[in-house]
Amino acid sequence: MMIELRRIAAAVTLGLGLLGAVSAHAAEDRHVRAWAATCATCHGTQGVSGSDVPTLAGQNEGQLLKLLKEFKDGTRPATVMHQHTKGYTDEELALLAAYFARQRP
């Protein structure tokens, strides 16, 4: 009986921990989706461009992050991307790169 109670307690603890992680991830994902929505004007909904502006959806995460950081530090030529990227931390840019890499064109 005591062993069974310990197993139940361990399962509940594990479940609550996973629920907390899922909730934190869902909140983070909402933020990232809100940030990504600002990209839609030029890069299309969910990063799928319908113009000569590059599609972000499905691109390599590392390459996207590299480009975003180059825009931010001014080493990559751009028209407006310098201003957009300066508003994000490197961590936020990494979350955006991961978000767009997960999208499907």
Side-chain angles (χ1 to χ4, degrees), residues 26-50:
E28 179 180 278
D29 193 47
R30 276 195 308 272
H31 285 94
V32 175
R33 284 184 289 144
W35 299 332
T38 66
C39 306
T41 302
C42 298
H43 293 280
T45 304
Q46 295 181 321
V48 180
S49 175

Side-chain angles (χ1 to χ4, degrees), residues 45-83:
T45 304
Q46 295 181 321
V48 180
S49 175
S51 68
D52 59 347
V53 175
T55 288
L56 303 176
Q59 299 300 312
N60 177 276
E61 180 179 342
Q63 184 62 26
L64 283 174
L65 181 56
K66 178 181 180 289
L67 293 171
L68 289 169
K69 286 183 173 183
E70 288 173 355
F71 287 132
K72 183 178 180 178
D73 69 22
T75 58
R76 178 171 277 286
T79 54
V80 297
M81 284 302 298
H82 298 118
Q83 291 80 19

Side-chain angles (χ1 to χ4, degrees), residues 1-2 6-8 15-16 22 54-56 62-63 66-67 77 80 84-85 101:
M1 180 74 168
M2 188 63 141
R6 286 184 185 159
R7 285 184 184 165
I8 291 171
L16 290 175
V22 168
T55 288
L56 303 176
Q63 184 62 26
K66 178 181 180 289
L67 293 171
V80 297
H84 290 296
T85 54

